[in-house]
Amino acid sequence: MSLLACETRIAPDPRDKPLVELILAEGKKTPDRSGVDAAALRADNPNRLGGELIRQPVAGMTWFDEKFPRVSGEWIQRKDSPAEINIIYFHGGAYVRGSLKQGRGIASALAAKTNGRTFSVDYRQAPEDPFPAAVDDAVAAYQELVSRGIAPESIVLAGDSCGGGMVVSAMLKLRELGERMPAGGVPISPWVDLTLAGASWKENFDTDYVGPLFVKSLAKTYLAGADPRHPLASPIFADLRGLPPLFIVSGGAETLHSDAVALAEATERAGVRVQLQTYLTMGHVFPMFNLHTADLAISNAAEFIVDAVHTAEKSRNRVLMD
């Protein structure tokens, strides 16, 4: 695969090799198969999200529930953090099994690294609430924060897996509604092609713990008959012109790597500023794990967030002065 103009390939920290092998071995204990039992998947979440392999919330961070009229979630921040940088985070879980707890490790790390705060969205999930409920909740969360006086220029959308897809889908819906846009977006291992047409589903099957049969079933559950090429479900098929800059994080060994590449290519074609960082030998949503390479990816994403907010604020100030 040729290197994109916007892509940087980053070698893994060699200290991570034993843990990466362990993560893959643990993941492969569950065979790739069709069928979705949402209740069973959710019941197993505590087992998946515990243990030393999983990134836990950053020490010193606090979180508290926030219930808005249209959507709920939790704020994650240090008590003395200023409100100059606001990250809206969408956890992963293929629109079916995710939780606020699942996203807390990455969400708290981004808040800590940016000296900002994160609002993690407790969006509705399938099968109870299929497409486009999750995207509607993502947009509602943004609108609720803006309606309370938080400047769009101070907001960056971020998320992992399906949450990474929601970053782009929410931006598309905000553009459609004529809303002021956030400063940028950070899709991590984004799921942005629900047709599962990417080559990496086959090429990286042996190097990742996420399998195509299971994910196809999850996509069917979420879509509930909707077209998988709908731009709010699979934003690589959308017109991405006019979106804020994107910083895409992907594992070079993950089955969804083709999604990240396709998103970067589509964003480049649309004339949107985009960076794709591919971390070699890393699997799906590797920043969720206690890896040195994951720490680097989070630090790089945080640097983008700080720069995106400062750039957006400067641009807004120039407009106001003209």
Side-chain angles (χ1 to χ4, degrees):
M1 187 181 293
S2 60
L3 189 69
L4 298 173
C6 65
E7 183 182 12
T8 303
R9 295 182 183 174
I10 299 172
D13 190 309
R15 294 173 292 178
D16 288 336
K17 186 176 180 181
L19 283 181
V20 169
E21 292 175 350
L22 180 58
I23 291 166
L24 180 61
E26 289 294 317
K28 287 294 188 181
K29 288 180 179 178
T30 302
D32 181 35
R33 58 175 178 260
S34 300
V36 174
D37 184 337
L41 290 173
R42 293 166 187 168
D44 188 50
N45 272 349
N47 297 324
R48 294 193 315 113
L49 303 178
E52 296 181 356
L53 290 177
I54 303 296
R55 180 180 298 276
Q56 299 302 316
V58 175
M61 305 295 286
T62 61
W63 53 88
F64 59 90
D65 294 338
E66 179 80 82
K67 293 186 177 181
F68 296 120
R70 293 182 294 160
V71 69
S72 299
E74 67 180 16
W75 285 102
I76 306 173
Q77 63 186 94
R78 286 196 176 94
K79 291 182 179 180
D80 58 349
S81 293
E84 296 174 358
I85 294 177
N86 297 278
I87 303 161
I88 300 179
Y89 198 83
F90 312 119
H91 62 74
Y95 299 108
V96 172
R97 74 182 303 175
S99 66
L100 293 178
K101 180 180 179 181
Q102 180 172 327
R104 208 171 276 160
I106 299 176
S108 66
L110 289 175
K113 287 285 185 180
T114 59
N115 194 30
R117 58 180 182 168
T118 299
F119 182 70
S120 191
V121 183
D122 191 16
Y123 58 87
R124 290 170 293 166
Q125 298 185 85
E128 297 88 350
D129 295 287
F131 172 80
V135 178
D136 290 342
D137 287 354
V139 171
Y142 179 85
Q143 292 174 324
E144 291 282 4
L145 265 59
V146 172
S147 71
R148 284 157 176 74
I150 296 176
E153 293 79 17
S154 76
I155 298 174
V156 170
L157 309 185
D160 66 87
S161 195
C162 69
M166 289 171 64
V167 168
V168 188
S169 297
M171 289 179 173
L172 291 169
K173 188 65 177 181
L174 290 168
R175 184 188 65 184
E176 177 186 323
L177 295 171
E179 302 277 10
R180 287 166 58 191
M181 292 297 241
V186 180
I188 300 170
S189 293
W191 189 23
V192 287
D193 180 6
L194 271 63
T195 71
L196 275 70
S200 60
W201 283 106
K202 291 183 178 179
E203 293 172 351
N204 291 347
F205 179 78
D206 292 331
T207 58
D208 199 11
Y209 59 88
V210 179
L213 294 179
F214 183 52
V215 174
K216 283 182 181 178
S217 297
L218 291 164
K220 185 177 180 180
T221 299
Y222 173 58
L223 291 168
D227 184 356
R229 294 175 63 93
H230 191 293
L232 295 185
S234 299
I236 62 166
F237 300 115
D239 177 359
L240 302 179
R241 287 176 293 181
L243 296 193
L246 297 180
F247 184 89
I248 306 168
V249 176
S250 181
E254 68 170 303
T255 47
L256 276 83
H257 182 56
S258 292
D259 282 45
V261 172
L263 177 59
E265 290 175 334
T267 309
E268 273 193 324
R269 288 196 302 269
V272 174
R273 183 163 64 89
V274 58
Q275 300 177 60
L276 167 60
Q277 290 197 343
T278 298
Y279 291 80
L280 305 177
T281 76
M282 292 291 114
H284 188 55
V285 196
F286 68 94
M288 185 173 68
F289 299 100
N290 279 324
L291 301 168
H292 298 285
T293 308
D295 294 338
L296 175 61
I298 288 173
S299 293
N300 290 342
E303 184 177 338
F304 165 83
I305 291 171
V306 172
D307 179 70
V309 168
H310 289 168
T311 300
E313 288 175 343
K314 287 180 182 178
S315 178
R316 178 66 176 172
N317 290 337
R318 284 196 297 269
V319 170
L320 294 174
M321 292 173 63
D322 290 342

